Amino acid sequence: MLASSIGNDFSQLTSDLIVFDGECVLCSHFFQLILRHDKGQRFSFATAQSEFGQRLYRERGLPTDDFETNLVFVDRRCYQRLDAFAAAMRALPGLWPVLGLCRFLPAFVKDPLYHAVARNRYRLFGRTEVCMVPAPEIQARFVDWKPAQGKAAPDE
């Protein structure tokens, strides 16, 4: 399982966090699914294109121009790829945690499966030209909802 601790820089976060590709239709649907079922508002959100999202990807050595994974922070741990999906599902109420069982798939099964979908997600599900802008009532749940001006942030 790919997980790492969130550094002290994120001590101001009072909830778990999902960072997603705001231009990816599949990723945006994942965000909307979480938003719809997260009645306790456990999660905050950021787009990968935002300055905050760009920083999180850079700090993990991930590309800041091609987001092949969402980042899901649960209980101050960062999950990537299918483990991110599993962590988010386990955090939701109801029957959703059953989908979290995918974390038990062996890496030789789940990693190629995840990468195949991630590499082809724009072709399979589409892409928007701009990041989504949250409605005013949802903006409060975004840590940094304003997208960055460019695709890639400069290195620090």
Side-chain angles (χ1 to χ4, degrees):
M1 173 172 17
L2 289 173
S4 60
S5 296
I6 297 178
N8 291 334
D9 292 338
F10 307 107
S11 60
Q12 75 275 11
L13 291 178
T14 58
S15 61
D16 294 330
L17 174 68
I18 294 176
V19 185
F20 66 98
D21 180 349
E23 295 176 357
C24 167
V25 172
L26 177 64
C27 304
S28 293
H29 284 343
F30 170 67
F31 154 72
Q32 291 168 10
L33 173 102
I34 298 294
L35 190 64
R36 190 169 44 251
H37 296 286
D38 183 22
K39 302 298 185 198
Q41 298 190 3
R42 177 177 179 156
F43 286 103
S44 294
F45 305 98
T47 62
Q49 290 83 1
S50 69
E51 291 177 29
F52 183 66
Q54 292 279 295
R55 186 176 70 167
L56 292 175
Y57 277 79
R58 267 195 321 277
E59 288 173 353
R60 280 148 189 82
L62 296 169
T64 57
D65 59 347
D66 185 24
F67 311 104
E68 285 198 7
T69 183
N70 291 324
L71 300 177
V72 175
F73 295 87
V74 174
D75 297 330
R76 302 185 59 77
R77 294 180 65 103
C78 179
Y79 297 88
Q80 298 177 29
R81 298 188 286 280
L82 199 55
D83 290 333
F85 173 79
M89 293 299 103
R90 288 191 322 266
L92 291 177
L95 295 176
W96 293 104
V98 171
L99 294 176
L101 293 173
C102 66
R103 76 183 184 277
F104 295 117
L105 290 171
F108 72 87
V109 173
K110 68 180 175 179
D111 290 345
L113 177 65
Y114 185 88
H115 287 296
V117 172
R119 276 192 309 272
N120 296 296
R121 69 192 184 282
Y122 295 138
R123 186 172 53 80
L124 295 170
F125 301 100
R127 180 179 189 158
T128 60
E129 293 299 316
V130 295
C131 279
M132 52 95 40
V133 176
E137 64 273 10
I138 298 170
Q139 287 177 6
R141 293 189 62 187
F142 274 74
V143 175
D144 181 3
W145 67 270
K146 187 175 181 183
Q149 294 297 330
K151 286 265 191 187
D155 291 328
E156 294 181 304

